[in-house]
Amino acid sequence: MVHSSNHPAFKHKNNGMHIKENLSKLKKQFKKQDCLLIAVSKTKPVSDIQEAYDAGMRHFGENKVQELVDKQPQLPEDIRWHMIGHLQRNKVKYIAPFIHLIHGVDSFKLLKEINKQAQKADRIIACLLQVHIAKEESKFGFSEEEILEMIQLPEFAALENVRVIGLMGMATNTDKEAVVRAEFAGLKKLMDQLNTLDLLGGMALKELSMGMSGDYQIAQEEGSTMVRIGSAIFGERNYG
């Protein structure tokens, strides 16, 4: 996969007006206008993020801790940073002081570490539990059974510095819309089921992070409350 910035067709297009136009066009195509748009800024320079910020964006997603830590001090303080990639436990401490939402919590050990580092930073960190909904084995996430097991643990109830506010999922990378739609619908169904169990200490799950550049409209139709979009904002990637 070649990033658009390396492709001749996009060399001179990455200006503020281009990003602003993309954002405007994208929002018009939303099936659900109140769905939160998270601009996926991984591999993108600070200048591109600043241009998106100037166009009104405040929520940005990164998938590598090092990149997130490098960019955060260089940009406006009111940006809400989302960790959307796989997070290693030994890296949590670097983002705990400022992260807005961690999307990919895929183990109880990771959740406990986030709680520990949030305590040190004197914060409560919002998290989403990542559910393995795709056919690919390479994707991370809990199974439905593992989530049900975890939320019944007394140890889970004792975590005072994390707030689980919803679920996150990545659909199978396929052209078959029915497969993607069924996976997203299944995640929404799971969240609805969890909310009936009253096992979260009165905590209601409200956020569903599902949908990216290729499938965000399907995700919105199936109940997504936040979509993670990069290429449709910062420039298409050349898959050729």
Side-chain angles (χ1 to χ4, degrees), residues 33-219:
Q33 286 301 319
D34 62 348
C35 184
L36 178 68
L37 172 59
I38 298 163
V40 177
S41 48
K42 62 181 184 181
T43 76
K44 301 298 174 186
V46 165
S47 56
D48 279 13
I49 301 171
Q50 184 64 54
E51 284 161 8
Y53 177 91
D54 293 341
M57 280 300 300
R58 291 297 179 270
H59 292 261
F60 292 88
E62 292 282 340
N63 71 338
K64 288 194 165 66
V65 168
Q66 187 58 57
E67 209 174 329
L68 190 47
V69 170
D70 288 346
K71 288 173 177 176
Q72 188 263 341
Q74 301 181 61
L75 286 151
E77 281 186 14
D78 63 336
I79 283 181
R80 293 183 167 184
W81 293 102
H82 296 247
M83 179 64 197
I84 59 173
H86 178 62
L87 178 59
Q88 293 170 294
R89 295 202 304 278
N90 62 349
K91 303 273 179 75
V92 174
K93 60 189 171 196
Y94 301 113
I95 61 171
F98 66 85
I99 199 72
H100 174 68
L101 178 63
I102 297 174
H103 288 235
V105 177
D106 57 6
S107 74
F108 188 42
K109 283 181 177 177
L110 175 59
L111 198 62
K112 285 194 287 188
E113 182 62 25
I114 295 167
N115 185 71
K116 177 181 160 186
Q117 297 303 332
Q119 276 178 330
K120 287 183 183 177
D122 196 23
R123 296 186 69 215
I124 293 173
I125 297 177
C127 299
L128 303 177
L129 302 178
Q130 183 171 352
V131 185
H132 190 286
I133 59 172
K135 301 287 183 281
E136 295 112 328
E137 286 302 313
S138 59
K139 299 271 197 319
F140 294 98
F142 289 100
S143 67
E144 292 186 21
E145 294 76 22
E146 286 168 338
I147 286 184
L148 283 166
E149 202 176 291
M150 180 180 75
I151 63 175
Q152 294 179 69
L153 295 171
E155 275 183 286
F156 177 84
L159 300 178
E160 293 185 349
N161 287 72
V162 290
R163 197 159 49 96
V164 177
I165 62 169
L167 305 177
M168 181 265 229
M170 294 171 74
T172 301
N173 186 11
T174 175
D175 292 332
K176 294 176 182 170
E177 186 185 313
V179 171
V180 173
R181 190 175 291 281
E183 288 169 356
F184 286 152
L187 191 60
K188 171 71 165 74
K189 186 181 173 190
L190 174 61
M191 188 168 89
D192 291 344
Q193 283 174 341
L194 291 172
N195 277 331
T196 65
L197 298 176
D198 196 31
L199 288 169
L200 293 157
M203 217 168 13
L205 301 179
K206 291 178 181 170
E207 304 296 346
L208 261 187
S209 172
M210 56 188 196
M212 301 188 289
S213 287
D215 56 18
Y216 71 90
Q217 289 180 320
I218 302 169

